[in-house]
Amino acid sequence: MFTTNPFDDDKLREECGIFGVSRGETASAIVALGLHALQHRGQEAAGITSWDGHDFHTHRAMGHVAGNFDRDEVIRGLPGMSACGHVRYSTTGETSLRNVQPLYAELNSGGFAVAHNGNISNAMKVRRELIRRGSIFQSTSDTEVIIHLVATSSYRTLLDKFIDALKQIEGAYSLIVMTPEGMIACRDPLGIRPLVMGKLGDATIFASETVAFDVVGADYVRSIDPGELVIVTNDGEIRSHRPFGETHARPCIFEHVYFSRPDSIIDNSSVYSVRKAIGAQLAIENPVDADYVIPVPDSGVPAAIGYAQESGIPFELGIIRSHYIGRTFIQPGDKVRHLGVKLKHNANRALIEGKRIVLIDDSIVRGTTSLKIVQMMREAGAAEVHMRIASPPTKHSCFYGVDTPERTKLLAHKLDVGGMQDFIHADSLAFISIDGLYKALGEAKRADSQPQYCDACFTGDYPTRLTDQDDVVVTNQLELLAERVG
């Protein structure tokens, strides 16, 4: 299988999207609509779990929300006034139905369903210990360790068991949990992954992004604070708990650069406005003499608008996207594959021919996408092709729920900017600085002592321990030593 979109094969893949409704009429139908709006956060699989006051009901499927949850019989099979859902792109665990969320288990306290956005960075270590103590796992997902930690906790109340479980895990998580006692929404102590709360009549709604509220007609109330647990009881009471004490928040900076939809509000900032500001700062730091500013669709558009407005260079659509071409499951030869690339994106030759252009994209990962884009522009007759990137070089892997290639496969890890420019065959290449990115987000600069965001993919400054990753490194070193001794 491959995709005809030449610009989708070299992007960082978002972790997941979650959506929950408590005390809402036709809750599962509302969740399905919300998941449609979050489809960009995960396109491998989707699932919804509902609670009707007596029983839990679950439907999970591989593929998109559309086609799996737009049928009346599916929604009718998910009755109740509470429901939560999940769209998935796997970052841990194999791609199979048993890993599709929400995950559900029958505990001593009753049913327990959980939808998770993020990645638990000590999941393998915790899993090994749980298995040693007798736990039997049904999936390979890191999320399942939460269920087992709750089930085996010695605390008395379900809330205390849940908090006990959270205090044993590391990494990034935004969670929506359904129990017979009500719905719990929580965010990790650093707030790495986003989570927001809204209202729709008497219903309380939680989602990864505010755009999901827009789709279902809900009002945005606020973001869930880092380290906060919000509980909605069955009678509608809303309680807030902060079991982790004071923490220094480090939300993911890449949500503003690429992951979130531009029409969302993340941590009280308009994503669209931030991306325009990033483009403007990019123009200040890295000007170029060109005829047109051209975005790489679709993620490069807001930054390109900002770059054009700041630089005074006209903004033009030099790459035209067809919105009617989906995936193809054929495996053609290289020549046909190359032709298929142009089904979805094609150069606007009449505009580009003979012109000096500056392309704006959000990031460079492996570099293969940028190489294709520059080649496309040159084949269309561009006199000069310059590239400006609306994020610093991606030099480090993410371990917080983003499917990043191994560090050795990241172009910025292997090459300096000059080498990257030669690799993609551009006339010039430049990135926004890390301080410039922070400035676009409303900060004076990056605070080295206590950075305001998680920017580990650019700086290598990971805000939490990476227990599983460290164990892998140690194991590899021991195996290498053993080979040398042997």
Side-chain angles (χ1 to χ4, degrees), residues 302-339:
I305 293 172
Y307 192 102
Q309 290 176 347
E310 179 64 35
S311 66
I313 302 172
F315 172 95
E316 294 287 354
L317 296 179
I319 302 172
I320 306 301
R321 177 186 175 187
S322 170
H323 292 267
Y324 305 100
I325 304 297
R327 289 175 175 259
T328 176
F329 292 85
I330 61 173
Q331 293 285 346
D334 289 341
K335 182 176 181 180
V336 178
R337 183 189 298 268
H338 178 71
L339 295 174

Side-chain angles (χ1 to χ4, degrees), residues 277-288 306-307 310-311 432 439:
I278 292 172
Q281 183 64 28
L282 182 61
I284 292 171
E285 293 183 357
N286 300 292
V288 63
Y307 192 102
E310 179 64 35
S311 66
I432 193 171
K439 186 174 182 180

Side-chain angles (χ1 to χ4, degrees), residues 37 49 122 132 190 214 239 254 268 349 366 469:
T49 296
N122 66 333
R132 188 189 67 79
L190 299 180
D214 299 336
R239 301 197 305 263
F254 219 82
N268 300 315
R349 180 179 294 273
R366 295 180 180 87
Q469 181 65 21

Side-chain angles (χ1 to χ4, degrees), residues 21-30 80-82 200 203:
V21 176
S22 177
R23 291 172 50 83
E25 296 290 340
T26 61
S28 59
I30 298 172
M81 296 182 64
S82 292
L200 180 62

Side-chain angles (χ1 to χ4, degrees), residues 60 98-104 112-114 139 141 143-144 147:
R60 302 181 298 167
R98 65 174 177 160
N99 285 331
V100 179
Q101 298 184 33
L103 297 183
Y104 175 79
F112 187 94
V114 57
S139 76
S141 169
T143 308
E144 193 179 353
I147 295 176

Side-chain angles (χ1 to χ4, degrees), residues 17 27 47 52 56 68 77 124 162 170 174 176 224 252 274 282 302 376 380 415 426 445 459 485:
D52 64 9
F56 286 84
N68 286 313
M124 291 306 300
F162 183 56
E170 303 167 2
S174 285
I176 296 176
I224 305 302
C252 173
V274 166
L282 182 61
M376 181 184 291
L415 302 171
K445 63 176 183 177
T459 65
V485 172

